[in-house]
Amino acid sequence: MIERLNIIKKHYEELNKELLDPEILKDIKKTKELSKEVSELEEIVICYQKYEKVEKDIEAAKEMAKDPEMGEFAKEELETLEEEKENLKKELEILLIPKDPNDGKNVIVEIRGAAGGDEANIFAGDLYRMYLKYAEKEGWKVEPITEEYSEGGGFSLVSFMIKGKNVYSKMKYESGAHRVQRVPVTETQGRVHTSTATVLAMPEAEDFDFELDMSEVRIDITRSSGCGGQGVNTTDSAVRATHIPTGIIVYCQVGRSQIQNKEMALKTLKTRLYDLKLREKEEKEGMERRSKIGTGDRAEKIRTYNYPQNRVTDHRIGFTLMQLDKVMEGDLSPIIEALITEDQKRKLSGE
């Protein structure tokens, strides 16, 4: 581990030297790539520097322990330093786990009502509200893309972008089928129904991730539509972008202008194609990620929200929380943290 850390530290110092080179600074793309790499290595290097300092302090404390007058003090100091060293070692082990290169990115999220008719669409709306509240707690910014309202309430489809620090590292665990068990507002007999909504969280494609060939894209301008009072613009400003080779269609209607909608539609299309490229790469190379958490089949049932028992269960790790009311108010952190911890545990054990 130490040998690997020394290589990382040396590489980090070399990258910082490169960033001072006037020739490299002229190349915006190169500068951006180097800055990103420096940022990714910085946490590891800072932690390793602390580890090295603690090792030196331990050696100094051992020398001090030889002095009869300072022996007792040095012994206490040594115990504290050894504990700190062990904690830093564990932290370094986690930091050295290969990271998903997309972890630091913004995400585009799509939520669709699935099985269960109106109740599924209402639940899709509840999940949307939950993510809005969670984003607010995390200090992230949300930009709506598409809102296809359902007559019975909620959304048949709602998509939005979340911007902030390391958004994908947390939101990637949300892709999959979410199941709700509750008495729907439309139920007259008081029976509990089961419905589902699907969530897809995709890392935003950056310029150097995927280049969109505009000759393969058809842009159609349509009239925005929405339920009354929703504040949706009803002028000819909605944009539908179709990627002809794949047949992927993206619709954006929430922006107040055609220019805004076109920009967001193309950004979403690019992200959808980048996501497709990532999936194809995994299949082609047979890339079996060590942990299936957050990377499994999108049709997989990942979580159940049981309203009568105020219970939420994440089936991937068998994690249950009897605080569904808080979760629906955006308090998703306990679930996300449990998923991250299990993910790290599996990777450390080589699963």
Side-chain angles (χ1 to χ4, degrees), residues 301-314:
K301 179 187 71 184
I302 63 165
R303 200 174 293 150
T304 294
Y305 304 74
N306 185 297
Y307 276 71
Q309 296 176 20
N310 196 34
R311 184 186 79 229
V312 58
T313 299
D314 196 289

Side-chain angles (χ1 to χ4, degrees), residues 74-137:
K75 188 182 175 184
E76 287 178 17
E77 182 72 4
L78 206 52
E79 283 178 10
T80 303
L81 287 167
E82 289 288 359
E83 187 181 342
E84 190 180 346
K85 180 185 173 181
E86 192 56 35
N87 289 335
L88 285 167
K89 187 183 175 184
K90 287 176 184 174
E91 192 178 335
L92 283 166
E93 283 174 350
I94 290 170
L95 287 171
L96 286 172
I97 294 171
K99 282 185 181 166
D100 185 332
N102 293 310
D103 273 355
K105 293 184 178 179
N106 299 326
V107 300
I108 288 179
V109 182
E110 290 182 358
I111 307 172
R112 294 176 186 269
D118 286 343
E119 169 64 1
N121 294 334
I122 291 167
F123 180 51
D126 293 339
L127 289 176
Y128 179 35
R129 181 176 175 274
M130 176 185 79
Y131 290 130
L132 291 178
K133 294 270 187 182
Y134 177 55
E136 189 181 340
K137 287 178 189 289

Side-chain angles (χ1 to χ4, degrees), residues 149-161:
Y149 295 91
S150 167
E151 285 184 17
F155 302 90
S156 56
L157 166 67
V158 59
S159 62
F160 50 100
M161 175 177 275

Side-chain angles (χ1 to χ4, degrees), residues 163-309:
K163 294 182 174 182
K165 188 178 179 182
N166 297 324
V167 181
Y168 187 70
S169 70
K170 295 180 179 180
M171 285 299 296
K172 66 181 175 184
Y173 298 105
E174 296 306 296
S175 288
H178 295 241
R179 182 174 73 169
V180 64
Q181 294 173 327
R182 66 185 177 189
V183 179
V185 289
T186 53
E187 170 60 50
T188 55
Q189 306 279 327
R191 291 172 301 188
V192 172
H193 287 229
T194 299
S195 305
T196 56
T198 59
V199 175
L200 175 58
M202 302 170 286
E204 180 192 8
E206 295 177 38
D207 291 339
F208 49 81
D209 290 322
F210 191 88
E211 198 168 329
L212 186 61
D213 184 349
M214 287 307 294
S215 68
E216 297 179 340
V217 179
R218 187 177 71 243
I219 299 291
D220 297 305
I221 308 302
T222 64
R223 180 157 291 225
S224 297
S225 60
C227 296
Q230 299 294 348
V232 178
N233 196 350
T234 54
T235 59
D236 291 336
S237 62
V239 173
R240 183 171 59 239
T242 305
H243 186 247
I244 298 162
T246 60
I248 291 174
I249 299 170
V250 169
Y251 184 70
C252 185
Q253 66 177 50
V254 176
R256 290 288 171 183
S257 72
Q258 195 182 110
I259 293 169
Q260 282 179 328
N261 283 327
K262 184 180 178 183
E263 187 182 329
M264 187 56 86
L266 290 174
K267 190 177 282 188
T268 305
L269 182 59
K270 198 173 179 180
T271 294
R272 286 285 299 271
L273 290 165
Y274 176 55
D275 187 62
L276 182 67
K277 179 180 152 188
L278 290 175
R279 295 280 156 182
E280 286 174 349
K281 186 182 177 188
E282 285 177 15
E283 287 173 20
K284 187 179 176 182
E285 297 178 3
M287 284 167 64
E288 194 75 26
R289 292 194 192 179
R290 285 181 181 172
S291 169
K292 279 291 179 188
I293 300 173
T295 64
D297 183 354
R298 284 160 187 181
E300 174 195 3
K301 179 187 71 184
I302 63 165
R303 200 174 293 150
T304 294
Y305 304 74
N306 185 297
Y307 276 71
Q309 296 176 20

